[in-house]
Amino acid sequence: MKALTITGPSVAQVSQIREPKPAHDEVLIRVQRVGLCGSDLNTFLGKNPMVTYPRVLGHEVAGTIVELGSGVEADWRVGADVTFTPYTACGGCPSCRAGRRNACRDNKTMGVQRDGALTELVAVPYQKLFTSRKLSLTELALVEPFSVGFHAAARGRVEAEETVLVMGCGGVGLGAIAGAVSRGARVIALDTQEEKFALARALGAREVVLGNADARERVMDLTNGDGPDVVIEAVGATATYRNAVEWVKFCGRVVYIGYGKEPVSYETRLFVMKELDILGSRNCLNEFSDVIAFFERRTFDPNILISKSIPIEGVPEALADWAAHPGRTSKIMVGMS
Ligand SMILES: [Zn+2]
Ligand SMILES: [Zn+2]
């Protein structure tokens, strides 16, 4: 069967791999939609330290069950459209023992530490499946990136009436905007690309700020000079990592989802002086159900996120194009059939 494989930095190709067979507790899924995310772009560019090559991409997936393993629970049936969590949890490490499987020490995310599902078929344990009769396949494939953003809002303990600054309006940043808005917060969205602002607003961001030299002043103006209650950093750049602690309110919370590409030095006295809560946010925990419920409420149309729909053969060119024009791309959706 066909698979999209990254064989080395900036080399993507459609290759042939063996078809999987479902194990006892697995279902076989005919893959229909796969979203590409910023981490896929980093994998393609050789900037993801967790990836070794060759690697099959694909962790934002929707498809149809075509076969059930003998031990799969009865409520799953052939023909159902599903999405699934692409992570693993060992069950024994300190994170897993604390009920925080999303940060499992030995986690292996599809398309990152192990091969992904940008393929025709994939076998997945039934315990990782989620479904909704009300959502389309494309919407099901958008649940994972939104869940990562929702988890960041949960980590930041975002509450109604609080002001949340979300830095970065890529797939995960947009999910964080939606997550904070769904908790009743007032959201300010920041990005260096003006093209992203229409989407940020559609998801409920009340204000948008262009990430230039005046950004700090704008954010302070919008928060009576105090700074936001919560800053969610969804970029992974040195400047945004620093700005998050510099701009956040005294006694505020900073949540980092962006993977830093290099070491960052800080004015650490701000941590103490402001008595900050500085939090990391990784993958997601129970947010798949929250996001499915959020999509089902139809307060916005998730399909507006899709900037391009392509077949698997178009992925190498789409990745190269995304690398060259990062502002133009929000979500590339690959249609497998
Ligand atoms: Zn992703
Ligand atoms: Zn674990």
Side-chain angles (χ1 to χ4, degrees), residues 36-40 59-60 144-145 148 172 331:
L36 299 182
C37 96
S39 78
D40 294 318
H59 63 273
E60 303 176 0
E144 195 272 345
V148 174
V172 168
K331 179 61 70 189

Side-chain angles (χ1 to χ4, degrees), residues 252-267:
R253 285 153 271 151
V254 173
V255 183
Y256 290 116
I257 344 176
Y259 250 98
K261 318 265 178 311
E262 57 198 6
V264 178
S265 63
Y266 278 97
E267 194 62 76

Side-chain angles (χ1 to χ4, degrees), residues 88-97 101 103-107:
T88 60
C90 71
C93 76
S95 308
C96 288
R97 290 201 307 268
R101 293 165 284 110
C104 174
R105 192 169 61 191
D106 302 315
N107 170 58

